[in-house]
Amino acid sequence: MTQVQTQSVPATQFDLFAGMESTQHEQVVFCQDHATGLKAIIAIHNTVLGPGLGGTRMWYYNHEKDALRDALRLSRGMTYKASVAGLNLGGAKAVIIGDPKTMKNEALMRKFGRFVENLNGKYITAEDVGTTTRDMEYVNMETDHVVGLPESMGGGGDPSPVTAYGVYMGIKASAQKAYGSDSLAGKSVAVMGIGKVGMHLLEYLHQEGVKLYVSDINDSALQAAATNFGAVVVSNEDIVGLDVDIFAPCALGGILNDNTIGKLKCQIIAGAANNQLEDEKIHGDLLKSKGIIYAPDFVINAGGLINVYSEYNGYVRESAMSQTENIYNTILDIYNRAELANVNNQAAAIMHAEKRIHDMMLVHSTY
C-alpha cells in the first residue's frame, strides 16, 4: 500500500513542481484569455481510477497563489472522495479567479469550456462554489466533458440536495458512534455556512427535531433559516465555540485549526465543507486527542460526486440517493478502521482511499 500523504499545501508555496510533488499531482494547467478576462487553473491529481472529475469554483482570490493552493487541495480531495465512494473516477478541480457576481458571463464560461475540451477527456468539470448549472450549459456548448447539467438536458441538475443528504447520513452515522443511536431528536447542531448544501441540510435536520444554530455572511439566508426552521442565528466568530452536540462546517475550508479547535465544545464534527482540517496530521490528531469524532470531509460530502457520476448510466435521482445513503455505512467503517490502526479518522480515510487506488494500479497495469 502506498504511504499516506498528509502534507498540506502552504499558502506561500511558489515552487510549483515542489508543490505538485508533495501532493503527487499529475498535471496542472494554467488558462488565460485576454479577450474574456479568463484566468483559471485546472489541477489534475490522479487518474488511476478514471478521468479526473471535479467542479469549477469561481472565487475572487486575494492572491493567485491562494487559487493554486485551493486547486491543489481540492483536486486531491476529489481523488480520495471518488475512491472511497467506489467510483471509477480520478480527482481534479478547476478554479476561475474572479468575482462571479460581476465577471462571469457566457463568453468567459464558453472559453473555459474550450480549455476543458483541449484536455481530451482527462478532466471532466461540473458546478461548484460560484458556478451554476446554467454556467455548465455554456461550458457544454464547447465540450462534452461536463456533468451536472440540468435535468431537462439529461443531467442530474443541482447536486446540492444529494450532497446534503449524504452529510445528513454521515451525521446520523456519527451519532450512532457517539451515542449508540442514530436518532437526532433533541440534539443540537451548529451549521456554519448555509448556502445551497447547508440550507438543504437544515431541512433534513429540522424534520428530525434538531435544535439548530446557524451562521453565514448572507443575511437573507440567515433570515430564511430562522423563519423556516426555527434556527438561532449567531456570528461566524461565535458558532465554533457553541456548547452543542454536533458542529457542521459547510462553508470554506481550513476551519479546524490551532485557533478554533481549542474553542470546540461539541462531540461530533460532521459537515459539507472541503478541506476542513488546516493540517491533516496535526489537527486530525488534535481532534482525536480531544475525543471529538470527526467525519472526514471527502467521505461525508461525496453525495454531489455520486450524483453527477450517475449521469453516465442515464440519470435516475432515486438511484443516486440510494448510493448516497451508503455514506452512513462508509463513515462507520472509517471509524472502525481508525480505531484498529490507532490513527485519526482523516488518516484512516486516506489509507482506505489509497489502498483502492493501489489495487487498481495492479489491475490497470495489464491493460
Side-chain angles (χ1 to χ4, degrees):
M1 185 175 69
T2 55
Q3 184 178 2
V4 175
Q5 297 293 317
T6 59
Q7 298 95 328
S8 295
V9 182
T12 55
Q13 182 63 268
F14 287 98
D15 190 332
L16 175 59
F17 284 100
M20 290 176 65
E21 178 64 26
S22 69
T23 53
Q24 299 186 347
H25 274 75
E26 293 179 9
Q27 186 176 3
V28 177
V29 180
F30 292 84
C31 314
Q32 179 170 280
D33 178 66
H34 177 74
T36 61
L38 175 70
K39 290 185 178 180
I41 302 170
I42 301 173
I44 301 172
H45 179 252
N46 186 291
T47 57
V48 170
L49 299 178
L53 192 154
T56 296
R57 173 171 294 189
M58 187 167 184
W59 193 258
Y60 191 79
Y61 296 92
N62 291 327
H63 301 284
E64 291 176 358
K65 65 177 182 294
D66 296 330
L68 174 59
R69 178 174 181 263
D70 216 15
L72 292 177
R73 294 194 70 185
L74 290 167
S75 56
R76 176 174 172 268
M78 293 303 297
T79 294
Y80 294 149
K81 187 180 301 189
S83 178
V84 172
L87 307 179
N88 295 320
L89 292 172
K93 203 79 172 185
V95 297
I96 297 175
I97 301 171
D99 186 345
K101 294 180 181 179
T102 60
M103 297 178 62
K104 189 173 61 175
N105 54 46
E106 178 183 352
L108 182 138
M109 295 309 302
R110 291 183 65 169
K111 176 59 70 171
F112 174 73
R114 295 191 66 81
F115 280 105
V116 173
E117 175 66 15
N118 289 341
L119 290 169
N120 298 312
K122 190 174 185 180
Y123 170 56
I124 302 169
T125 194
E127 71 171 283
D128 198 87
V129 175
T131 60
T132 65
T133 53
R134 178 57 176 162
D135 297 323
M136 295 306 108
E137 290 184 60
Y138 291 139
V139 172
N140 187 224
M141 293 176 183
E142 305 298 331
T143 182
D144 291 330
H145 305 304
V146 54
V147 290
L149 294 168
E151 294 184 57
S152 61
M153 298 177 65
D158 180 7
S160 58
V162 187
T163 302
Y165 183 65
V167 174
Y168 172 59
M169 287 292 103
I171 290 175
K172 288 181 71 66
S174 300
Q176 177 66 42
K177 179 68 175 176
Y179 310 119
S181 169
D182 66 7
S183 173
L184 300 176
K187 294 291 189 289
S188 54
V189 180
V191 181
M192 183 182 194
I194 48 174
K196 290 184 290 186
V197 173
M199 195 66 80
H200 286 295
L201 178 61
L202 290 180
E203 184 174 0
Y204 285 118
L205 296 173
H206 177 68
Q207 290 173 354
E208 202 166 333
V210 171
K211 176 64 175 177
L212 294 168
Y213 298 85
V214 296
S215 72
D216 200 280
I217 59 174
N218 186 329
D219 289 337
S220 62
L222 292 172
Q223 181 60 50
T227 301
N228 297 330
F229 309 118
V232 177
V233 175
V234 297
S235 69
N236 282 323
E237 292 73 26
D238 293 338
I239 198 165
V240 174
L242 288 183
D243 188 2
V244 294
D245 297 304
I246 302 163
F247 175 48
C250 295
L252 298 180
I255 186 60
L256 301 174
N257 51 54
D258 291 340
N259 178 51
T260 59
I261 290 177
K263 300 177 182 178
L264 293 169
K265 298 183 180 69
C266 59
Q267 291 180 272
I268 296 169
I269 300 173
N274 289 305
N275 300 319
Q276 295 171 30
L277 298 168
E278 189 172 75
D279 186 286
E280 291 173 341
K281 171 63 175 172
I282 294 173
H283 300 123
D285 284 348
L286 186 55
L287 291 175
K288 180 175 182 291
S289 70
K290 289 173 67 69
I292 297 175
I293 296 174
Y294 172 67
D297 45 41
F298 61 80
V299 181
I300 195 172
N301 67 13
L305 180 62
I306 292 169
N307 191 67
V308 296
Y309 180 72
S310 66
E311 294 181 21
Y312 284 99
N313 300 313
Y315 182 74
V316 178
R317 174 58 67 96
E318 291 74 19
S319 176
M321 294 292 279
S322 177
Q323 190 173 358
T324 298
E325 191 169 325
N326 194 51
I327 288 175
Y328 182 103
N329 295 320
T330 303
I331 287 287
L332 289 177
D333 179 54
I334 294 298
Y335 292 159
N336 291 333
R337 289 171 182 267
E339 288 184 353
L340 289 172
N342 193 27
V343 297
N344 69 60
N345 293 341
Q346 183 82 357
I350 292 173
M351 290 168 61
H352 180 44
E354 291 192 340
K355 183 181 187 305
R356 179 169 181 249
I357 294 170
H358 175 73
D359 290 348
M360 291 306 101
M361 285 180 66
L362 300 179
V363 173
H364 293 165
S365 67
T366 60
Y367 180 74

